[in-house]
Amino acid sequence: MGLDSISLAEARRLALAAQGFDRPRPRRVTARDVGGVIRKLGLLQIDYVNVVAPAHYVVPFSRLGPYDRRLLDEVVYRKREFIEHWAHEASIVPMELWPYLQHRRESHRVRPWGAEALFEQHPAYVDWLVGQIRDRGPLCADELPEPEGVPRRVNSWFGSIPKVVLEAHWGFGTLAVAHRSPNSVRVYDLVERIIPETHRERTMTPAAAKQELLRIAARGCGIGAPDDFADYFRMPVREVGPHLRDLVECGELRQVSVEGWKRPAFLHRDAKLPPKVEACALLAPFDPLICYRPRLLRLFGFEYRFEIFVPAAKRKWGVYVLPFVLGDRLVARVDLKAERSRSELQVLAANVESGVAGGEQELAAELQTLARWLGLDGVKVVSRTGFARRLAGALRCEGGKA
């Protein structure tokens, strides 16, 4: 690809291809397919909000279509090809990234802020908790007692003091997540029983580690500005300049200009520019394609805010809104809720983007696919305004509840 000036439409196709939207969904999804999605993206942000489904399960669905969610658990917790680690936020990352994230572990702060006092005032209790895991094997916070004589601050200490301690040691790299309990709670074990010695013993400078993370971010973006790459692993933008120059010098990246962008852009050497992209997918709020909102706006002209924590009166689009990508554009957004008591996927609101004509037939089909994947009987459009009416009509034609 020899272009130095790239149109906005080309930039969108580059970004979608880098995220795996340039290929058809497989007929039968395997564990290898699920692991391949995570490796292609570089990370998978964890979020267990279950209004529709936990977001980190939806991200592979967007690319692969319906799959057995146990396959994600298999590659992460049984095959141990991946681990949970602070990356963007709490994320699933390839196991081999362990040494590249050492600087994150060394700079990790106890959460919530202010809980450091617990470690300073009760070191014997903190050591005892870790010792319990050493002696008894993998444990979750609920299996360990609160310290005597220490008042529990539920609102600020994650519900329990043992949880604060174990979460902190997970962040420090003393503990790792062995698996998740049936109710999705982290179960911790000593890191030496989870992370292979080859990764644990490997050392590198923070500069080398950050450059590799920036390389992975650039590959996952395909094309982007410095702040796009920095946000991928939550690196300070001020730190990426020297690493970008190094990656340009070695041929990994090439500086280009993108139509309408006021800042330089960088193109990864492995980025593919398909002649067209035929994506048709709903995107979780924390999908890496849309996670960095300034890039989302630059690429797609799509303003998006996750409003679940916004007071109801101030919400513009809804509680749990999923953007809908069709072709190389984000054409609509739907506020969804899996109403399991009624076995239906409810569309609380549906809005088409300005200037977009159509899309309701494709969205109706994708909503029905999502509902079946969730084990629901059908889709119910609650809203009856504008685009939602057309969507309801399309669902009726597809044989859905509407």
Side-chain angles (χ1 to χ4, degrees):
M1 191 186 307
L3 297 177
D4 291 319
S5 180
I6 294 175
S7 72
L8 191 56
E10 289 171 331
R12 286 196 297 268
R13 298 203 302 274
L14 285 162
L16 286 162
Q19 289 278 307
F21 287 106
D22 62 331
R23 63 200 66 185
R25 291 170 170 174
R27 292 184 178 181
R28 177 179 174 272
V29 181
T30 65
R32 184 176 180 179
D33 293 321
V34 175
V37 167
I38 307 174
R39 289 192 182 281
K40 187 171 185 65
L41 302 180
L43 56 77
L44 196 60
Q45 183 176 333
I46 298 168
D47 187 85
Y48 270 98
V49 172
N50 204 30
V51 175
V52 176
H56 53 289
Y57 288 102
V58 177
V59 172
F61 168 84
S62 299
R63 291 147 178 85
L64 302 174
Y67 72 100
D68 188 335
R69 280 189 273 181
R70 291 174 296 183
L71 294 176
L72 180 61
D73 300 330
E74 178 182 338
V75 298
V76 177
Y77 305 113
R78 288 188 288 280
K79 292 186 175 181
R80 299 207 188 286
E81 296 177 17
F82 304 89
I83 53 168
E84 293 192 24
H85 202 290
W86 283 106
H88 181 81
E89 295 290 329
S91 303
I92 294 167
V93 300
M95 179 70 78
E96 58 268 25
L97 284 193
W98 176 264
Y100 295 94
L101 294 165
Q102 176 65 33
H103 63 283
R104 294 293 293 270
R105 297 190 292 275
E106 290 176 347
S107 62
H108 183 76
R109 290 189 59 187
V110 180
R111 300 184 181 204
W113 313 134
E116 296 95 337
L118 172 70
F119 287 72
E120 296 170 359
Q121 297 169 12
H122 303 278
Y125 172 76
V126 170
D127 291 343
W128 180 82
L129 282 185
V130 176
Q132 287 293 294
I133 292 175
R134 180 179 296 108
D135 296 340
R136 295 167 55 188
L139 296 171
C140 65
D142 291 345
E143 296 176 285
L144 293 162
E146 301 273 344
E148 295 182 4
V150 179
R152 184 174 69 171
R153 295 184 290 173
V154 174
N155 291 335
S156 62
W157 276 18
F158 293 2
S160 78
I161 292 176
K163 186 174 182 180
V164 171
V165 173
L166 299 185
E167 285 283 298
H169 276 286
W170 170 62
F172 297 148
T174 310
L175 302 176
V177 178
H179 58 88
R180 292 275 182 162
S181 70
N183 60 346
S184 303
V185 171
R186 284 190 177 112
V187 180
Y188 306 86
D189 201 355
L190 298 181
V191 72
E192 54 263 34
R193 298 201 284 239
I194 302 295
I195 310 297
E197 185 177 2
T198 52
H199 298 316
R200 291 199 325 272
E201 299 300 321
R202 187 180 179 189
T203 60
M204 59 185 57
T205 66
K210 291 174 183 178
Q211 184 162 311
E212 177 61 21
L213 295 177
L214 195 64
R215 178 184 288 112
I216 294 169
R219 186 195 67 205
C221 290
I223 189 170
D227 54 317
D228 301 336
F229 301 158
D231 185 74
Y232 214 80
F233 282 95
R234 289 289 164 88
M235 296 169 59
V237 178
R238 64 180 182 276
E239 293 184 1
V240 306
H243 302 305
L244 283 177
R245 288 193 291 272
D246 289 344
L247 291 173
V248 169
E249 288 179 7
C250 74
E252 188 90 8
L253 298 179
R254 181 161 58 86
Q255 186 170 336
V256 296
S257 64
V258 176
E259 175 191 357
W261 290 20
K262 297 180 180 180
R263 65 193 74 186
F266 295 87
L267 178 68
H268 193 273
R269 68 183 176 192
D270 295 334
K272 296 179 181 178
L273 178 57
K276 66 177 181 177
V277 173
E278 297 180 342
C280 180
L282 290 158
L283 303 175
F286 306 109
D287 192 297
L289 177 67
I290 65 172
C291 222
Y292 187 50
R293 311 308 191 210
R295 181 172 188 259
L296 178 63
L297 184 59
R298 263 185 281 117
L299 269 176
F300 295 96
F302 194 90
E303 293 187 8
Y304 181 58
R305 183 184 184 189
F306 186 49
E307 298 181 305
I308 195 168
F309 300 115
V310 175
K314 296 184 178 180
R315 290 184 191 128
K316 184 176 181 180
W317 303 109
V319 175
Y320 203 83
V321 174
L322 277 65
F324 179 56
V325 57
L326 183 63
D328 66 354
R329 301 294 301 270
L330 293 178
V331 300
R333 63 188 85 203
V334 284
D335 182 19
L336 299 180
K337 181 181 180 182
E339 187 56 71
R340 293 169 176 89
S341 64
R342 295 176 176 269
S343 194
E344 60 188 23
L345 179 63
Q346 294 185 347
V347 182
L348 304 180
N351 293 278
V352 68
E353 291 299 286
S354 177
V356 173
E360 59 268 20
Q361 296 290 343
E362 294 87 351
L363 178 55
E366 186 65 5
L367 286 167
Q368 287 187 314
T369 301
L370 177 62
R372 287 193 296 269
W373 180 60
L374 296 174
L376 305 174
D377 290 338
V379 182
K380 175 70 174 179
V381 180
V382 176
S383 172
R384 294 295 180 183
T385 60
F387 180 66
R389 287 200 304 272
R390 303 205 302 273
L391 179 60
L395 281 163
R396 284 192 293 272
C397 291
E398 291 282 336
K401 284 188 176 183

